[in-house]
Coordinates of all heavy atoms in Angstrom, one line a residue:
G327 N 1.8 -15.0 5.7 CA 0.4 -15.4 6.0 C 0.4 -16.5 7.1 O -0.5 -16.5 8.0
A328 N 1.3 -17.5 7.0 CA 1.4 -18.5 8.0 C 1.8 -17.9 9.4 O 1.2 -18.3 10.4 CB 2.4 -19.6 7.6
I329 N 2.7 -17.0 9.3 CA 3.1 -16.4 10.6 C 1.9 -15.6 11.2 O 1.7 -15.6 12.4 CB 4.3 -15.4 10.4 CG1 5.6 -16.3 10.1 CG2 4.6 -14.5 11.6 CD1 6.8 -15.4 9.7
Y330 N 1.2 -14.9 10.3 CA 0.0 -14.2 10.8 C -1.0 -15.1 11.4 O -1.6 -14.8 12.4 CB -0.6 -13.4 9.6 CG -1.9 -12.8 9.9 CD1 -2.0 -11.6 10.6 CD2 -3.1 -13.5 9.5 CE1 -3.3 -11.1 11.0 CE2 -4.4 -12.9 9.9 CZ -4.4 -11.7 10.6 OH -5.6 -11.2 10.9
W331 N -1.2 -16.3 10.7 CA -2.2 -17.2 11.2 C -1.8 -17.7 12.6 O -2.6 -17.8 13.5 CB -2.3 -18.4 10.2 CG -3.3 -19.4 10.6 CD1 -4.3 -19.4 11.5 CD2 -3.4 -20.7 9.9 NE1 -5.0 -20.5 11.5 CE2 -4.5 -21.3 10.5 CE3 -2.7 -21.3 8.9 CZ2 -4.9 -22.6 10.2 CZ3 -3.2 -22.6 8.5 CH2 -4.2 -23.2 9.1
I332 N -0.5 -18.0 12.8 CA 0.0 -18.5 14.0 C -0.1 -17.5 15.1 O -0.6 -17.7 16.2 CB 1.5 -19.0 13.9 CG1 1.6 -20.2 13.0 CG2 2.1 -19.3 15.3 CD1 3.0 -20.6 12.6
L333 N 0.3 -16.3 14.8 CA 0.3 -15.2 15.8 C -1.1 -14.7 16.1 O -1.4 -14.1 17.2 CB 1.1 -14.0 15.3 CG 2.6 -14.3 15.2 CD1 3.4 -13.0 14.7 CD2 3.2 -14.7 16.5
S334 N -2.1 -15.0 15.2 CA -3.4 -14.5 15.4 C -4.1 -15.2 16.5 O -5.2 -14.8 17.0 CB -4.2 -14.6 14.1 OG -4.4 -16.0 13.7
I335 N -3.6 -16.4 16.8 CA -4.3 -17.2 17.9 C -3.6 -17.0 19.2 O -3.9 -17.6 20.2 CB -4.3 -18.7 17.6 CG1 -2.8 -19.2 17.3 CG2 -5.1 -19.0 16.3 CD1 -2.8 -20.7 17.1
T336 N -2.6 -16.0 19.3 CA -1.9 -15.7 20.5 C -2.6 -14.4 21.0 O -3.4 -13.8 20.4 CB -0.4 -15.4 20.2 OG1 -0.3 -14.2 19.4 CG2 0.2 -16.5 19.5
P337 N -2.2 -14.0 22.2 CA -2.8 -12.8 22.8 C -2.4 -11.5 22.2 O -2.9 -10.4 22.5 CB -2.4 -12.8 24.3 CG -2.0 -14.2 24.5 CD -1.4 -14.7 23.2
L338 N -1.5 -11.6 21.2 CA -1.0 -10.3 20.6 C -2.2 -9.7 19.8 O -3.0 -10.3 19.2 CB 0.1 -10.6 19.6 CG 1.4 -11.1 20.2 CD1 2.4 -11.5 19.1 CD2 2.1 -9.9 21.0
P339 N -2.2 -8.3 19.8 CA -3.3 -7.6 19.1 C -3.2 -7.9 17.6 O -2.2 -8.0 17.0 CB -3.0 -6.1 19.3 CG -2.1 -6.1 20.6 CD -1.3 -7.4 20.5
D340 N -4.4 -8.1 17.0 CA -4.5 -8.5 15.6 C -3.8 -7.4 14.7 O -3.2 -7.7 13.7 CB -5.9 -8.7 15.2 CG -6.5 -9.9 15.7 OD1 -5.8 -10.8 16.2 OD2 -7.8 -10.1 15.7
A341 N -4.0 -6.1 15.1 CA -3.4 -5.0 14.3 C -1.9 -5.1 14.2 O -1.3 -5.0 13.2 CB -3.9 -3.7 14.9
L342 N -1.3 -5.4 15.4 CA 0.1 -5.5 15.5 C 0.6 -6.7 14.6 O 1.7 -6.6 13.9 CB 0.6 -5.7 16.9 CG 2.1 -5.8 17.2 CD1 2.7 -4.5 16.7 CD2 2.4 -6.0 18.7
V343 N -0.1 -7.8 14.6 CA 0.3 -9.0 13.9 C 0.2 -8.7 12.4 O 1.1 -9.0 11.6 CB -0.6 -10.2 14.2 CG1 -0.4 -11.3 13.3 CG2 -0.4 -10.6 15.7
R344 N -0.8 -8.0 11.9 CA -1.0 -7.7 10.5 C 0.1 -6.7 10.1 O 0.7 -6.8 9.0 CB -2.3 -7.1 10.2 CG -3.5 -8.1 10.2 CD -4.7 -7.4 9.6 NE -5.3 -6.5 10.6 CZ -6.2 -6.8 11.5 NH1 -6.7 -8.1 11.6 NH2 -6.7 -6.0 12.4
I345 N 0.5 -5.7 10.9 CA 1.5 -4.8 10.5 C 2.9 -5.5 10.4 O 3.6 -5.3 9.4 CB 1.6 -3.7 11.6 CG1 0.4 -2.8 11.6 CG2 2.9 -2.8 11.4 CD1 0.3 -1.8 12.7
A346 N 3.2 -6.4 11.3 CA 4.4 -7.2 11.3 C 4.4 -8.1 10.0 O 5.5 -8.2 9.4 CB 4.6 -8.0 12.5
A347 N 3.3 -8.7 9.6 CA 3.3 -9.5 8.5 C 3.5 -8.7 7.2 O 4.3 -9.2 6.3 CB 1.9 -10.2 8.4
W348 N 3.0 -7.5 7.1 CA 3.2 -6.7 5.9 C 4.6 -6.1 5.9 O 5.2 -6.0 4.8 CB 2.2 -5.6 5.8 CG 0.9 -6.0 5.3 CD1 -0.3 -6.0 6.0 CD2 0.5 -6.7 4.1 NE1 -1.3 -6.5 5.3 CE2 -0.8 -7.0 4.1 CE3 1.3 -7.0 3.0 CZ2 -1.5 -7.6 3.1 CZ3 0.6 -7.6 1.9 CH2 -0.7 -7.9 2.0
G349 N 5.2 -5.9 7.1 CA 6.6 -5.5 7.1 C 7.5 -6.6 6.6 O 8.5 -6.4 5.9
L350 N 7.2 -7.9 6.9 CA 7.9 -9.0 6.4 C 7.8 -9.1 4.9 O 8.8 -9.4 4.2 CB 7.4 -10.3 7.1 CG 8.2 -11.6 6.7 CD1 9.6 -11.5 7.1 CD2 7.5 -12.8 7.4
I351 N 6.6 -8.9 4.3 CA 6.4 -9.0 2.9 C 7.3 -7.9 2.2 O 7.9 -8.1 1.2 CB 4.9 -8.8 2.6 CG1 4.2 -10.1 2.9 CG2 4.8 -8.5 1.1 CD1 2.7 -10.0 2.7
G352 N 7.2 -6.7 2.8 CA 8.0 -5.6 2.2 C 9.5 -5.9 2.2 O 10.3 -5.6 1.3
F353 N 10.0 -6.6 3.3 CA 11.4 -7.0 3.4 C 11.8 -7.9 2.2 O 12.8 -7.7 1.6 CB 11.6 -7.8 4.7 CG 12.9 -8.4 4.9 CD1 13.9 -7.8 5.6 CD2 13.1 -9.7 4.4 CE1 15.2 -8.4 5.7 CE2 14.4 -10.3 4.6 CZ 15.4 -9.6 5.2
F354 N 10.9 -8.9 1.9 CA 11.3 -9.8 0.9 C 11.1 -9.2 -0.5 O 11.9 -9.5 -1.4 CB 10.4 -11.1 0.9 CG 10.8 -12.1 2.0 CD1 10.1 -12.2 3.2 CD2 12.0 -12.8 1.8 CE1 10.5 -13.1 4.1 CE2 12.4 -13.7 2.8 CZ 11.7 -13.9 4.0
I355 N 10.2 -8.3 -0.7 CA 10.0 -7.6 -2.0 C 11.2 -6.7 -2.2 O 11.8 -6.7 -3.4 CB 8.7 -6.8 -2.0 CG1 7.5 -7.8 -2.0 CG2 8.7 -5.9 -3.3 CD1 6.2 -7.1 -2.0
G356 N 11.7 -6.0 -1.2 CA 12.9 -5.2 -1.4 C 14.1 -6.0 -1.7 O 14.9 -5.6 -2.5
L357 N 14.2 -7.1 -1.0 CA 15.3 -8.0 -1.3 C 15.3 -8.5 -2.8 O 16.3 -8.5 -3.5 CB 15.3 -9.2 -0.4 CG 16.3 -10.3 -0.6 CD1 17.7 -9.8 -0.4 CD2 16.1 -11.5 0.3
G358 N 14.1 -9.0 -3.2 CA 14.0 -9.5 -4.6 C 14.3 -8.4 -5.6 O 15.0 -8.6 -6.6
E359 N 13.8 -7.2 -5.4 CA 14.0 -6.1 -6.4 C 15.5 -5.7 -6.5 O 16.1 -5.5 -7.5 CB 13.2 -4.9 -5.9 CG 13.1 -3.7 -6.9 CD 14.2 -2.7 -6.7 OE1 14.9 -2.8 -5.7 OE2 14.3 -1.8 -7.5
S360 N 16.2 -5.7 -5.3 CA 17.6 -5.3 -5.3 C 18.5 -6.4 -5.8 O 19.5 -6.1 -6.5 CB 18.0 -4.8 -3.9 OG 17.8 -5.9 -3.0
V361 N 18.2 -7.6 -5.6 CA 19.0 -8.7 -6.1 C 18.8 -8.8 -7.6 O 19.8 -9.1 -8.3 CB 18.6 -10.1 -5.4 CG1 19.2 -11.3 -6.1 CG2 19.0 -10.1 -4.0
S362 N 17.6 -8.6 -8.1 CA 17.4 -8.5 -9.6 C 18.3 -7.5 -10.2 O 18.9 -7.7 -11.2 CB 15.9 -8.2 -9.8 OG 15.7 -7.9 -11.2
W363 N 18.4 -6.3 -9.6 CA 19.2 -5.2 -10.1 C 20.7 -5.7 -10.1 O 21.4 -5.4 -11.0 CB 19.0 -4.0 -9.3 CG 20.0 -2.9 -9.6 CD1 19.9 -2.0 -10.5 CD2 21.3 -2.7 -9.0 NE1 21.0 -1.1 -10.5 CE2 21.9 -1.6 -9.6 CE3 22.0 -3.3 -7.9 CZ2 23.1 -1.1 -9.2 CZ3 23.2 -2.8 -7.5 CH2 23.8 -1.7 -8.2
R364 N 21.1 -6.4 -9.0 CA 22.5 -6.8 -8.9 C 22.9 -7.7 -10.0 O 24.0 -7.6 -10.6 CB 22.8 -7.4 -7.6 CG 24.2 -7.9 -7.4 CD 24.5 -8.5 -6.1 NE 25.9 -8.8 -5.9 CZ 26.4 -9.3 -4.8 NH1 25.7 -9.5 -3.8 NH2 27.7 -9.6 -4.8
F365 N 22.1 -8.7 -10.4 CA 22.4 -9.6 -11.4 C 22.6 -9.0 -12.8 O 23.3 -9.5 -13.6 CB 21.3 -10.7 -11.5 CG 21.5 -11.8 -10.5 CD1 20.4 -12.1 -9.6 CD2 22.7 -12.5 -10.4 CE1 20.6 -13.0 -8.6 CE2 22.8 -13.5 -9.4 CZ 21.8 -13.8 -8.5
R366 N 21.9 -7.9 -13.1 CA 21.9 -7.3 -14.4 C 22.8 -6.0 -14.5 O 23.2 -5.7 -15.6 CB 20.5 -6.9 -14.8 CG 19.6 -8.0 -15.0 CD 18.2 -7.6 -15.4 NE 17.6 -6.6 -14.4 CZ 17.7 -5.3 -14.6 NH1 18.2 -4.8 -15.6 NH2 17.2 -4.5 -13.7
S367 N 23.1 -5.4 -13.4 CA 23.8 -4.1 -13.5 C 25.3 -4.3 -13.7 O 25.9 -5.3 -13.2 CB 23.6 -3.3 -12.2 OG 24.3 -2.1 -12.2
I368 N 25.9 -3.3 -14.4 CA 27.4 -3.4 -14.5 C 28.1 -3.1 -13.2 O 29.3 -3.3 -13.0 CB 27.9 -2.3 -15.5 CG1 27.4 -0.9 -15.2 CG2 27.4 -2.7 -16.9 CD1 28.0 0.2 -16.0

Side-chain angles (χ1 to χ4, degrees):
I329 291 174
Y330 171 79
W331 184 12
I332 294 170
L333 294 179
S334 64
I335 59 178
T336 67
L338 290 173
D340 289 344
L342 183 62
V343 173
R344 282 190 290 267
I345 291 172
W348 285 117
L350 182 63
I351 288 175
F353 173 93
F354 281 108
I355 291 175
L357 175 63
E359 190 267 354
S360 54
V361 169
S362 166
W363 172 86
R364 179 179 183 177
F365 279 123
R366 296 180 301 98
S367 175
I368 59 172

